Amino acid sequence: MKILLSTTLLLVLLPVYAISQSVDYYKAFSEKAGENSVLYRGRAPLPYHFNFEGTQYVFDEKFRKGELLYNSKRYFDVEMNLNCHLDELVIKIPGTISTVIPNKNFVKSFSFDGMLFIYYRGVSKGSPEKGYYQLLHSQTDTLIKKVKKRYVEEIPKHATSGSLRRMFNTDVTYHLFSAGKWYTVKSRRDILKIYQSERRAISRFIRESRLNFITDRENSIVQVVKFADKTSNL
């Protein structure tokens, strides 16, 4: 059963790793197609016509060059950013300052700065909602990260009449697929509950690796999941 369920998840993630054409082919295709490329036929992003604190993007306002797997074709050197307020991938049209939103139904994955993101379609019962996620680990078990930016308006206590504080707050959640089920992971306790048979080995690993789920939560979760995934399959 575990093999069957893991295979089902693999079929969801498989397009992330599929490479059917060469790098040179798609570079030539993009250079020749230019603005007429199907990749750049998306709609324009909605503008934010007001001042605010923080950012709607996953990290900052900077667009980063990376790879994009779109409609079963791989594109290289695409300038892009992820709007985590609207859950939209935004890409720049080459040679311009214009941006478009590619159809997410055709987006399989994209990567930049050594990070891989997928568009997860929420195909299994109890799975996270569909949307863009960062893929942190994927072997027998799979760990994904969701970043959401919430728009908040506040009226400061000592503000003058008419003043309003606008900002984007960041929410981060981690979702783990293990033994055919999805779990939300927030702490060390959550992981120990999921991997109960490896509880003692995991506790020792955390102690010896000096992992801290308070000050370094993401790294701690990733390292423990990798260890538990490997240990449970020995």
Side-chain angles (χ1 to χ4, degrees):
M1 179 62 71
K2 183 174 182 179
I3 294 176
L4 177 60
L5 290 167
S6 297
T7 302
T8 301
L9 183 65
L10 179 61
L11 291 175
V12 175
L13 298 176
L14 186 59
V16 172
Y17 308 102
I19 302 176
S20 57
Q21 287 87 5
S22 68
V23 173
D24 291 337
Y25 174 87
Y26 278 111
K27 281 187 175 180
F29 171 83
S30 295
E31 290 173 0
K32 182 178 179 180
E35 293 186 11
N36 294 321
S37 168
V38 65
L39 179 62
Y40 302 104
R41 292 178 185 171
R43 58 186 174 84
L46 292 175
Y48 292 82
H49 291 305
F50 51 86
N51 294 325
F52 53 83
E53 301 174 26
T55 178
Q56 71 272 35
Y57 292 111
V58 60
F59 299 119
D60 51 42
E61 308 291 320
K62 179 183 177 182
F63 278 65
R64 293 164 167 82
K65 284 188 176 182
E67 298 181 12
L68 172 61
L69 185 56
Y70 183 82
N71 197 22
S72 301
K73 296 180 180 179
R74 191 171 294 268
Y75 297 85
F76 299 87
D77 295 327
V78 179
E79 288 189 79
M80 52 191 157
N81 209 337
L82 180 61
N83 183 325
C84 294
H85 173 228
L86 301 176
D87 196 40
E88 294 176 339
L89 178 63
V90 185
I91 61 176
K92 276 190 177 182
I93 298 176
T96 75
I97 60 172
S98 300
T99 57
V100 296
I101 300 171
N103 189 333
K104 62 178 62 177
N105 292 321
F106 296 108
V107 175
K108 299 298 183 182
S109 69
F110 61 93
S111 62
F112 53 72
D113 291 352
M115 294 172 287
L116 176 62
F117 297 82
I118 63 171
Y119 185 74
Y120 180 66
R121 288 166 170 78
V123 295
S124 60
K125 183 179 180 181
S127 68
E129 62 182 352
K130 64 180 180 179
Y132 289 107
Y133 292 81
Q134 184 180 351
L135 184 61
L136 299 176
H137 172 74
S138 183
Q139 290 186 5
T140 303
D141 295 349
T142 298
L143 179 67
I144 57 178
K145 170 185 176 182
K146 183 66 175 180
V147 177
K148 289 186 177 181
K149 298 297 180 87
R150 290 182 295 107
Y151 175 68
V152 178
E153 293 183 346
E154 290 184 356
I155 300 178
K157 292 182 179 180
H158 304 289
T160 58
S161 177
S163 64
L164 185 66
R165 185 183 178 192
R166 300 179 176 90
M167 69 193 82
F168 285 103
N169 291 338
T170 303
D171 293 330
V172 178
T173 54
Y174 301 91
H175 304 273
L176 174 64
F177 182 83
S178 178
K181 295 182 180 180
W182 280 102
Y183 303 89
T184 299
V185 178
K186 297 180 181 179
S187 64
R188 165 180 170 168
R189 180 180 299 178
D190 292 333
I191 295 180
L192 292 177
K193 285 183 179 179
I194 296 168
Y195 297 104
Q196 292 188 23
S197 60
E198 290 81 33
R199 187 183 186 95
R200 183 173 299 178
I202 291 174
S203 295
R204 184 171 59 251
F205 173 76
I206 293 173
R207 184 174 60 255
E208 293 176 350
S209 301
R210 298 182 179 180
L211 299 177
N212 191 315
F213 283 79
I214 298 177
T215 61
D216 193 17
R217 185 170 68 139
E218 181 169 314
N219 177 61
S220 297
I221 291 175
V222 172
Q223 294 307 316
V224 172
V225 168
K226 287 181 178 180
F227 173 81
D229 193 2
K230 179 180 179 180
T231 302
S232 62
N233 287 284
L234 291 178

